[in-house]
Amino acid sequence: MTAPKISYATCPLCEATCGLEIETREREILSIRGDAQDVFSHGYICPKAYSLKELHADPDCIREPMVRRDDKWINVSWDDAFAEIERGLMPILDESGRNALAIYVGNPNAHNIASLLYLPALLQSAKTQNFYSASTVDQMPKQVSAGLMFGTVLSIPVPDLDRTEYLLLLGANPLVSNGSLMTAPDMRGRLRRLRQRGGKVVVIDPYRTRTAQEADEHYFIKPGHDAYFLFALVNTLFDEGLVAPGRLTEYTAGLEQVRWLAEPFTPERVATTSGIDASTIRIIARELAASPRAAVYGRIGTCTQEFGTLSSWLVDVLNVLTGNLDREGGAMFPKAAAGSRNTTGTPGHGRGVRFGRWKSRVRGLPEIYGELPASCLAEEIDTPGEGQVRALITLAGNPALSTPNSNRLQRALGTLQFMVSIDIYLNETTRYANVILPPPPVLARTHYDLALYQLAVHNVAHFSAPVFEREAGALDEWELFLRLAGILAGQGSQAHLSMLDDFVMTTLIQREVAQDGSNVEKREVGKLLELLAPRRGPERMLDFLLRSGPYGDAFGRHEGLSLATLEAHPHGIDLGPLQPRIPEVLRTPSGKIELAPQPIVEDVKRLLTSFEQGLTSSNGHMLLIGRRDLRSNNSWMHNLHVLTKGKERCSLHIHPGDAAHLELVNGNMAIVASRAGSVEIPVEITDAIMPGVVSIPHGWGHTLTMTKTRIASEMAGVNTNILSDEVEIDPLSGNAVLNGIPVTVEKAHQS
Ligand code: SF4
């Protein structure tokens, strides 16, 4: 029998990037442990990591390309699958134009280096304006506010968790999510150490989450009211003379405008609508100002609401006003080893960001960073007219469950003329596809967290080679992307992969070499390609990005990182604690932190109108919010027994007072209804939730036919996105409103 082998890899399942030690024999996983020598996670893992073993052997996983014929799926060769795609897709685009194709990219792509590096080539070949992703379902407000304030899409400050002494968290439950837009393995350990060194954690949330339970203080806030609360903190800082940006003053524009914008939002006025009393607001503002190392952090609850961008902006306004932005223990900018836009170009200023270069056809919503809001996808498919979407490519996404008004989207998907999915499951979305292309199993891929290290609370770099070799004949993910790109570029289904890869690589090099302040000598592209040989695919691109990056060896100009260095360090490389980066991190045209960007100033009027007209009342409805579970991240995880076993977790949480009023008892079925739809769900009474608010977790509802996710179907749950409303968005970012949805709740008739 073959001897067991130990491999080290980064967990690809969430944003925490924990190091794994995986013991295998041939193609079997024997055990998965935390890698005690990992420079970032130091042996920590959560229960989800163990599920990789079950995922690796899941009989429901798609291993070969599949083509649908009369509602039957048949396995085909790769060549036949791509030929089918060419035959199905190209006539539609020839007849109806490039915008007849939509592309939807799901959240797992953020963890996938092949997707991150080769998606641009696919989009360039597609030449469609109908590009959608999960970003407009959960995080676009933060990307918009960061872009407007600091100049690039991922210049998002993260709490310097290991040194902070005061942490104010809004709409975030990192003990369960393990951090989001904040890469930090072992959140529990980090928050405990924060408190052990005398620090304080304050949580603002309509739900007393696990994070709130372990915090020093927790305050309920009415869903969707974070912007009012944050503005009241700003108001207090100005009112009490506590504004002290310190060394940031000379790099900050718009301070006086912020003072003026905050004037109407006094703590007393905000208290009546937000649910947090005025004295508490003042105390929190004073504590923030007094702490020498404090950070404000807002996440999913602050993004997925009507005023998501304003809330995200105000989080960083507070970090600036209290002098905590860019100082140790405050909110700081990571310096990633590769792929970050705030480490390329001229340090200190840049072109900033631009939105609205095109608009969605039906609702006229502006493009944001090249994307249209996912909430528009259904109407772009089901509304007739020129430019109507008739074909779709989904990449590791399940929008039929995870985007608003999913009933409408499911109906729309059923009307498409052609659909292609890259996915490992036949799920609620891919069941509509004509062709499904399976990417390699997750542990048969190269891994480097190009995006997440841009958000890490400590600068690190960690490369993992595939734990398993790909099955003979299987394609790597970047090859799938390039073959699709070749078809869309009119080169047919047999495009020369090597030439396409060289083209993509050459384009990347030319763009980097052309940058002012490039870390790469103005050498000929051919010479650089020679230096990168014999690597191909994502490894070659990553090697280039590392060597031309801020810690890189600049192709031999000095000592520094290359992919070879990372390969020699299987537990990762520690690049040190976060360092102050202002002004060099800025890429705004002014070279300043834009504290009052015009689009945001304009949007404050909307907030003010809502505030003054009292539209923030729920008009007798309950307000629906989401909920995160430690063992669930994406909907596909519900097909793993190790993550779904035990008590049913898809239930309606409701406060005892509301339950009594509605005559609901534990285990009753309740009907929850919104403008978009209704669901029937078991009731779970808990005083962890704010009165007037109910909660349903997302990603469930595995009740549909024509899927093959057998374990998920056994513990199906209900789909909360039947209730979320595609009409409700945060207009600045186009982000879906998933929190604070007005709903009615009533007892279902017992059969
Ligand atoms: S916290 Fe995230 S990265 Fe770490 S083991 Fe769990 S799922 Fe994997």
Side-chain angles (χ1 to χ4, degrees):
M1 188 182 281
T2 318
K5 182 180 101 173
I6 297 287
S7 304
Y8 298 98
T10 305
C11 177
L13 297 182
C14 89
E15 298 180 42
T17 72
C18 300
L20 306 177
E21 182 180 293
I22 304 176
E23 187 180 20
T24 58
R25 182 182 284 122
E26 296 173 355
R27 301 201 72 79
E28 185 190 359
I29 296 177
L30 301 178
S31 68
I32 295 178
R33 286 184 283 270
D35 174 8
Q37 298 176 73
D38 185 275
V39 297
F40 198 15
S41 55
H42 307 291
Y44 172 84
I45 52 172
C46 83
K48 289 195 289 293
Y50 301 109
S51 73
L52 285 168
K53 181 174 178 185
E54 193 177 333
L55 175 67
H56 182 68
D58 187 349
D60 286 350
C61 268
I62 300 169
R63 314 275 176 189
E64 295 175 62
M66 303 201 308
V67 167
R68 181 158 55 86
R69 299 249 186 268
D70 299 329
D71 288 345
K72 284 207 168 46
W73 287 97
I74 54 171
N75 292 338
V76 297
S77 69
W78 286 98
D79 283 346
D80 286 350
F82 285 108
E84 179 91 3
I85 292 169
E86 186 183 13
R87 276 195 302 275
L89 211 48
M90 296 315 284
I92 297 171
L93 305 194
D94 290 343
E95 188 181 323
S96 304
R98 307 302 289 199
N99 286 341
L101 172 67
I103 297 178
Y104 179 89
V105 174
N107 153 295
N109 292 282
H111 309 248
N112 185 326
I113 188 170
S115 300
L116 290 170
L117 290 174
Y118 286 86
L119 179 63
L122 180 62
L123 292 176
Q124 273 163 19
S125 302
K127 293 190 176 71
T128 176
Q129 295 182 337
N130 279 302
F131 173 50
Y132 304 84
S133 88
S135 292
T136 52
V137 184
D138 67 7
Q139 69 181 46
M140 193 55 94
K142 198 72 207 169
Q143 295 178 215
V144 169
S145 70
L148 291 169
M149 294 177 81
F150 310 117
T152 76
V153 56
L154 280 185
S155 291
I156 296 174
V158 297
D160 184 16
L161 272 186
D162 299 339
R163 294 180 290 191
T164 197
E165 293 174 10
Y166 188 96
L167 185 61
L168 176 62
L169 299 167
L170 295 99
N173 187 8
L175 279 198
V176 165
S177 69
N178 286 298
S180 179
L181 295 180
M182 172 176 65
T183 291
D186 190 14
M187 279 300 307
R188 179 181 297 275
R190 287 176 200 273
L191 291 186
R192 281 199 178 148
R193 287 192 289 278
L194 191 166
R195 296 183 67 211
Q196 279 162 4
R197 60 179 181 265
K200 181 170 180 179
V201 179
V202 178
V203 173
I204 309 292
D205 202 293
Y207 196 103
R208 193 169 62 251
T209 59
R210 279 179 65 179
T211 306
Q213 286 166 26
E214 296 219 3
D216 296 272
E217 291 170 15
H218 164 243
Y219 300 97
F220 284 132
I221 188 170
K222 198 168 167 187
H225 283 57
D226 302 81
Y228 302 114
F229 167 74
L230 291 162
F231 248 141
L233 294 178
V234 172
N235 177 294
T236 305
L237 293 176
F238 279 111
D239 185 49
E240 300 191 4
L242 299 174
V243 171
R247 75 170 188 92
L248 298 182
T249 306
E250 68 174 297
Y251 305 114
T252 301
L255 194 64
E256 275 310 301
Q257 240 177 320
V258 172
R259 175 203 295 272
W260 172 75
L261 291 170
E263 267 175 15
F265 300 95
T266 61
E268 287 70 23
R269 290 189 73 200
V270 166
T272 57
T273 56
S274 69
I276 301 180
D277 62 61
S279 61
T280 301
I281 295 173
R282 289 190 189 282
I283 289 168
I284 292 173
R286 288 173 199 147
E287 287 178 345
L288 263 180
S291 172
R293 294 164 170 236
V296 186
Y297 169 79
R299 193 44 200 107
I300 192 94
T302 58
C303 285
T304 52
Q305 56 163 284
E306 191 184 352
F307 299 107
T309 305
L310 290 182
S311 302
S312 300
W313 163 69
L314 284 162
V315 162
D316 286 325
V317 166
L318 280 165
N319 284 323
V320 172
L321 297 185
T322 53
N324 283 303
L325 186 80
D326 203 44
R327 81 169 166 199
E328 285 184 13
M332 303 189 76
F333 296 97
K335 185 184 266 190
S340 175
R341 291 191 202 166
N342 66 35
T343 57
T344 56
T346 309
H349 64 86
R351 287 194 313 178
V353 294
R354 281 179 304 157
F355 309 124
R357 290 165 294 173
W358 62 88
K359 295 199 165 155
S360 71
R361 177 181 65 100
V362 178
R363 227 186 299 177
L365 294 178
E367 149 281 331
I368 308 284
Y369 297 120
E371 300 187 28
L372 292 174
S375 293
C376 293
L377 180 55
E379 68 200 27
E380 292 296 330
I381 298 171
D382 69 18
T383 308
E386 196 179 331
Q388 181 180 6
V389 169
R390 297 168 196 278
L392 176 67
I393 299 176
T394 65
L395 309 168
N398 193 359
L401 275 195
S402 61
T403 62
N405 197 346
S406 41
N407 276 349
R408 181 177 178 183
L409 181 60
Q410 285 169 25
R411 285 192 298 273
L413 293 177
T415 67
L416 287 167
Q417 291 175 19
F418 198 77
M419 178 168 156
V420 181
S421 291
I422 296 182
D423 213 294
I424 55 174
Y425 283 115
L426 183 54
N427 62 25
E428 294 78 9
T429 296
T430 61
R431 69 187 186 135
Y432 293 103
N434 298 82
V435 181
I436 303 180
L437 305 171
V442 72
L443 291 176
R445 304 176 198 172
T446 292
H447 190 94
Y448 180 87
D449 277 304
L450 210 51
L452 302 180
Y453 290 146
Q454 298 181 45
L455 302 162
V457 300
H458 192 95
N459 290 317
V460 289
H462 190 179
F463 172 80
S464 329
V467 174
F468 295 104
E469 285 188 6
R470 263 178 293 134
E471 297 281 358
L475 293 190
D476 209 338
E477 208 148 10
W478 64 277
E479 295 172 308
L480 300 185
F481 276 74
L482 284 185
R483 286 193 73 169
L484 280 178
I487 291 170
L488 290 167
Q491 296 181 15
S493 61
Q494 298 287 347
H496 198 293
L497 275 191
S498 192
M499 280 173 58
L500 281 175
D501 191 31
D502 283 345
F503 176 75
V504 173
M505 186 71 236
T506 303
T507 308
L508 179 70
I509 293 175
Q510 285 169 335
R511 203 174 61 216
E512 171 60 33
V513 171
Q515 302 250 21
D516 291 337
S518 169
N519 200 13
V520 183
E521 268 183 75
K522 307 271 181 222
R523 302 193 221 206
E524 284 183 12
V525 171
K527 180 68 187 162
L528 287 168
L529 286 174
E530 268 175 37
L531 291 168
L532 292 163
R535 298 186 192 275
R536 311 285 308 174
E539 285 93 344
R540 179 167 64 163
M541 290 174 85
L542 177 61
D543 194 25
F544 174 76
L545 292 170
L546 287 165
R547 298 177 78 174
S548 59
Y551 308 89
D553 72 354
F555 294 91
R557 250 202 284 172
H558 47 69
E559 289 286 304
L561 286 190
S562 65
L563 184 50
T565 328
L566 293 191
E567 284 169 331
H569 292 81
H571 311 290
I573 292 184
D574 184 341
L575 299 168
L578 305 186
Q579 300 291 333
R581 292 192 58 196
I582 286 178
E584 63 83 10
V585 72
L586 299 172
R587 293 294 183 276
T588 51
S590 62
K592 304 244 183 198
I593 301 165
E594 292 293 348
L595 220 47
Q598 196 53 34
I600 291 209
V601 172
E602 289 294 318
D603 204 37
V604 174
K605 292 179 194 158
R606 186 173 59 93
L607 183 76
L608 198 54
T609 304
S610 174
F611 190 49
E612 287 177 345
Q613 293 179 351
L615 296 183
T616 50
S617 81
S618 49
N619 294 326
H621 286 86
M622 311 267 311
L623 295 176
L624 175 67
I625 61 172
R627 187 164 88 235
R628 181 72 180 260
D629 187 275
L630 177 62
R631 289 185 286 157
S632 177
N633 188 6
N634 297 117
S635 57
W636 62 262
M637 288 184 181
H638 299 158
N639 205 48
L640 303 175
H641 179 68
V642 66
L643 296 181
T644 53
K645 65 186 178 187
K647 173 184 164 222
E648 181 168 11
R649 300 200 300 279
C650 187
S651 57
L652 179 80
H653 283 192
I654 186 166
H655 188 270
D658 293 320
H661 176 69
L662 294 164
E663 298 179 355
L664 293 168
V665 298
N666 267 326
N668 270 172
M669 295 302 286
I671 297 171
V672 185
S674 72
R675 186 203 75 92
S678 69
V679 299
E680 200 168 314
I681 182 168
V683 167
E684 196 174 340
I685 299 169
T686 169
D687 66 3
I689 197 161
M690 188 177 185
V693 180
V694 289
S695 163
I696 302 177
H698 71 276
W700 298 91
H702 308 287
T703 53
L704 303 177
T705 57
M706 298 287 292
T707 60
K708 191 180 172 204
T709 49
R710 284 170 289 193
I711 291 174
S713 305
E714 285 167 17
M715 189 70 96
V718 301
N719 177 8
T720 188
N721 279 313
I722 289 173
L723 299 169
S724 58
D725 193 334
E726 80 280 22
V727 173
E728 301 296 334
I729 58 161
D730 166 42
L732 259 189
S733 64
N735 206 90
V737 174
L738 304 178
N739 279 298
I741 300 165
V743 292
T744 56
V745 180
E746 62 181 77
K747 191 171 171 180
H749 293 296
Q750 308 295 315
S751 53

